[in-house]
């Protein structure tokens, strides 16, 4: 359950790490001094499709990845992203690492390929703007390395640096910085973020439907114009009983030209759909990707470091009981010494896990702040939504207004067409 309290650690520091601990300075290292604008200007990464074909079949898809920060373009395949995600997760197991889109689907056509391109673009932008990832050698390597084997380069870099717990100067001191009510804070924040996530999913679903309706409207307008053109192109002669009274012959001639205006209207509606998709739906998906990665992080914390800690404690308890049994029932000295050695090793392992647990909570506290730093993106999304509607209605309104007097001229104002107000 999301709301379950997190177990508190039980032991102190391992003996080999006590010497590393110092009194923490008075600096507020737990608080992120960031704003959304500062994060957004860290980097913008463009991702473009470069399909490579072999005969008539698509062999694989390659992406041109262009970093605004490093002012360089490199070429990456999905497998490169996959390895990058793997080593990034190993290095920053206690941070919000966004998930990758699936490699392929059974019905993976153009729509799937484009959807995956968008998802990979969101992934790399969230990573490139993260306060800790953005300055890491792994990210710099992925965005700038132009050699032939980026995957080997990434794995080598990962081996040299190790995970964040081993390199962060605060890792063994994290407990000293955590507030006394960290469990309550975390539980409340997690519940709030879960509710925000659910609401943003509903907003995204509605925005997707609006964008889809705009595209359907574009198709309907185009087909409407074509039908008018087909109707006007019918050169069948009128029967004698209608030819003397009817104006259909003249009216029919006028219909052919209207398909041009309806094609323009269709194009404007299609542009509206693309704006809603690119400016509104994509921003919603970006934030949703971040929110989902936060929920994944919480799950990793509970099922990873805490679960391992609890298993280690259970194993330690069993060893202690064996030791007590050995003191009551005499055994060989070598066997007792071996058991004592194993107990000392297990104590050190538990103490290291406790330090990792505190560091995991420390990182969780910071990553929770990151979610709230991103929340003002709501105003960006609403601004993009309103602007897309204003622009779309203005452009389509201009075409409709041009069409109205034209209808009056073609058919006459007494035939049901009102002159413009």
């Amino acid at each position: 359950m999301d709301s379950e309290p997190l177990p508190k650690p039980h032991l102190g520091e391992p003996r080999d790490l006590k010497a590393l601990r110092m009194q923490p300075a008075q600096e507020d290292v737990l608080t992120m001094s960031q704003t959304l604008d500062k994060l957004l200007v860290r980097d913008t990464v463009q991702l473009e499709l470069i399909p490579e074909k072999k005969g008539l079949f698509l062999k694989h898809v390659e992406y041109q990845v262009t970093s605004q920060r490093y002012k360089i373009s490199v070429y990456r395949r999905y497998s490169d992203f996959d390895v990058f995600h793997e080593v990034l997760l190993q290095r920053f197991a206690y941070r919000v690492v966004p998930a990758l889109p699936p490699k392929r689907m059974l019905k993976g056509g153009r729509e799937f390929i484009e959807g995956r391109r968008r998802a990979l673009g969101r992934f790399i932008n969230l990573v490139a703007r993260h306060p800790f990832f953005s300055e890491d050698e792994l990210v710099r390597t992925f965005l700038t390395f132009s050699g032939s084997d980026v995957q080997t380069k990434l794995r080598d870099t990962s081996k040299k640096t190790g995970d964040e717990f081993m390199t962060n100067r605060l890792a063994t001191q994290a407990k000293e910085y955590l507030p006394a009510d960290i469990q309550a804070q975390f539980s409340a924040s997690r519940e709030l973020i879960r509710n925000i996530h659910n609401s943003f999913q509903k907003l995204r679903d509605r925005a997707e439907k609006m964008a889809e309706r705009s595209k359907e409207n574009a198709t309907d307008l185009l087909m409407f114009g074509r039908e008018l053109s087909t109707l006007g192109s019918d050169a069948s002669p009128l029967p004698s009983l209608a030819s003397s009274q009817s104006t259909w012959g003249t009216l029919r001639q006028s219909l052919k030209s209207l398909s041009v205006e309806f094609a323009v209207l269709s194009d404007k509606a299609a542009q509206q759909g693309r704006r809603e998709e690119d400016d509104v739906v994509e921003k919603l998906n970006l934030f949703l990707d971040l929110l989902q990665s936060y929920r994944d992080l919480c799950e990793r914390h509970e099922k990873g470091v805490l679960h391992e800690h609890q298993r280690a404690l259970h194993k330690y308890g069993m060893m202690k009981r064996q030791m007590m049994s050995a003191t009551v029932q005499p055994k060989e000295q070598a066997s007792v010494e071996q058991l004592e050695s194993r107990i000392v090793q297990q104590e050190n392992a538990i103490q290291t896990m406790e330090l990792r647990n505190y560091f995991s909570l420390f990182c969780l506290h910071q990553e929770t702040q990151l979610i709230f730093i991103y929340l003002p993106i709501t105003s960006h999304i609403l601004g993009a939504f309103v602007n897309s509607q204003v622009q779309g209605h203005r452009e389509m309104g201009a075409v409709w207004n041009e069409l109205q007097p034209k209808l009056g001229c073609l058919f006459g104002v007494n035939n049901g067409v009102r002159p413009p107000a």
Side-chain angles (χ1 to χ4, degrees):
M1 294 292 292
D2 283 349
S3 58
E4 288 181 0
L6 303 177
K8 292 187 177 180
H10 299 280
L11 300 176
E13 294 180 342
R15 296 164 189 171
D16 56 345
L17 288 174
K18 281 186 179 178
L20 296 176
R21 190 172 70 84
M22 300 179 296
Q23 277 299 107
Q26 294 304 309
E27 56 181 327
D28 188 6
V29 295
L30 191 60
T31 303
M32 280 191 179
S33 57
Q34 296 286 340
T35 64
L36 179 60
D37 290 339
K38 284 182 182 178
L39 292 180
L40 294 179
V41 299
R42 279 176 178 261
D43 201 357
T44 296
V45 184
Q46 299 291 334
L47 205 73
E48 300 299 332
L49 271 174
I50 302 178
E52 183 177 315
K53 293 189 176 181
K54 184 179 182 181
L56 298 175
F57 300 98
L58 191 65
K59 183 182 176 184
H60 69 265
V61 174
E62 196 169 41
Y63 304 94
Q64 183 180 35
V65 181
T66 306
S67 165
Q68 197 174 83
R69 176 182 181 181
Y70 294 108
K71 295 178 172 52
I72 188 173
S73 292
V74 292
Y75 298 91
R76 300 286 182 255
R77 297 184 186 179
Y78 179 87
S79 58
D80 300 329
F81 278 91
D82 196 29
V83 171
F84 176 53
H85 180 264
E86 176 191 325
V87 296
L88 195 67
L89 199 52
Q90 290 170 359
R91 170 116 176 84
F92 295 103
Y94 311 128
R95 304 283 181 187
V96 285
V97 179
L100 285 181
K103 183 176 182 178
R104 64 169 62 89
M105 292 179 67
L106 294 176
K107 298 179 180 179
R110 291 183 181 275
E111 187 176 337
F112 168 74
I113 291 173
E114 171 59 15
R116 190 175 68 176
R117 182 195 70 81
R118 287 176 179 268
L120 289 172
R122 296 193 300 270
F123 163 80
I124 194 61
N125 275 285
L126 284 172
V127 168
R129 293 166 180 169
H130 191 283
F132 295 99
F133 303 166
S134 59
E135 304 305 319
D136 194 76
E137 184 62 29
L138 283 173
V139 175
R140 185 159 44 249
T141 298
F142 186 80
L143 292 175
T144 63
F145 182 74
S146 56
S148 59
D149 193 353
V150 68
Q151 296 183 22
T152 300
K153 180 71 173 175
L154 287 167
R155 293 190 191 280
D156 289 345
T157 302
S158 177
K159 288 175 184 176
K160 290 176 185 176
T161 53
D163 79 329
E164 189 184 11
F165 177 77
M166 302 302 295
T167 59
N168 191 305
R169 66 183 179 86
L170 300 172
T172 60
Q173 309 169 48
K175 179 182 178 181
E176 308 295 333
Y177 293 103
L178 292 173
D181 63 341
I182 181 64
Q183 306 289 349
Q185 285 190 36
F186 174 64
S187 181
S189 297
R190 189 176 184 182
E191 182 66 22
L192 175 59
I193 290 170
R194 181 172 57 183
N195 292 336
I196 290 171
H197 189 195
N198 292 337
S199 292
F200 268 85
Q201 280 183 319
K202 293 173 183 176
L203 288 171
R204 190 271 316 275
D205 292 345
R206 293 297 174 186
E208 280 183 337
K209 287 181 180 179
M210 284 187 276
E212 193 59 39
R213 281 199 296 270
S214 293
K215 294 176 186 177
E216 290 172 355
N217 188 32
T219 302
D220 290 340
L221 285 166
L222 186 64
M223 296 308 298
F224 192 90
R226 285 178 180 174
E227 290 302 327
L228 287 177
S229 180
T230 300
L231 195 60
S233 300
D234 186 0
S236 302
L238 290 172
S240 56
L241 61 91
S243 58
S244 59
Q245 297 283 334
S246 177
T247 59
W248 174 243
T250 306
L251 182 63
R252 186 171 60 183
Q253 298 270 330
S254 304
L255 293 176
K256 291 176 66 175
S257 64
L258 293 180
S259 64
V260 176
E261 278 77 8
F262 277 92
V264 174
L265 284 167
S266 173
D267 184 58
K268 297 298 182 187
Q271 290 177 28
Q272 171 73 1
R274 286 193 294 271
R275 276 193 300 270
E276 290 168 346
E277 199 170 56
D278 295 341
D279 299 340
V280 182
V281 176
E282 269 304 290
K283 285 185 174 69
L284 284 164
N285 276 328
L286 178 83
F287 191 43
L288 280 169
D289 288 351
L290 182 65
L291 291 169
Q292 182 59 53
S293 66
Y294 178 81
R295 296 182 73 167
D296 294 342
L297 173 63
C298 295
E299 194 169 318
R300 276 202 309 277
H301 175 78
E302 293 183 335
K303 292 186 176 179
V305 64
L306 282 179
H307 182 65
E308 289 174 7
H309 185 201
Q310 289 162 356
R311 283 199 313 173
L313 285 172
H314 177 69
K315 185 177 179 181
Y316 176 71
M318 290 177 62
M319 287 182 178
K320 292 292 283 184
R321 285 192 292 272
Q322 288 176 2
M323 190 65 186
M324 290 175 65
S325 175
T327 59
V328 174
Q329 301 174 4
K331 294 188 177 182
E332 293 182 10
Q333 184 64 25
S335 175
V336 173
E337 289 176 356
Q338 188 179 33
L339 185 57
E340 287 177 342
S341 175
R342 287 172 55 202
I343 287 174
V344 170
Q345 291 175 4
Q346 190 67 11
E347 284 177 348
N348 282 331
I350 290 171
Q351 291 160 355
T352 301
M353 286 180 193
E354 287 178 351
L355 286 178
R356 281 188 174 272
N357 179 42
Y358 282 122
F359 184 61
S360 179
L361 281 172
F362 179 91
C363 294
L364 261 174
H365 193 80
Q366 291 184 324
E367 299 303 290
T368 303
Q369 294 173 61
L370 182 65
I371 300 298
F372 290 114
I373 290 170
Y374 258 94
L375 266 178
I377 201 172
T378 308
S379 62
H380 294 218
I381 295 167
L382 286 173
F385 176 63
V386 171
N387 290 339
S388 71
Q389 298 302 313
V390 169
Q391 184 177 349
H393 287 296
R394 182 175 61 239
E395 291 179 356
M396 291 192 72
V399 180
W400 285 118
N401 284 331
E402 289 174 8
L403 184 58
Q404 194 175 45
K406 184 174 182 180
L407 291 179
C409 294
L410 288 173
F411 307 136
V413 295
N414 294 325
N415 284 304
V417 180
R418 294 183 294 119

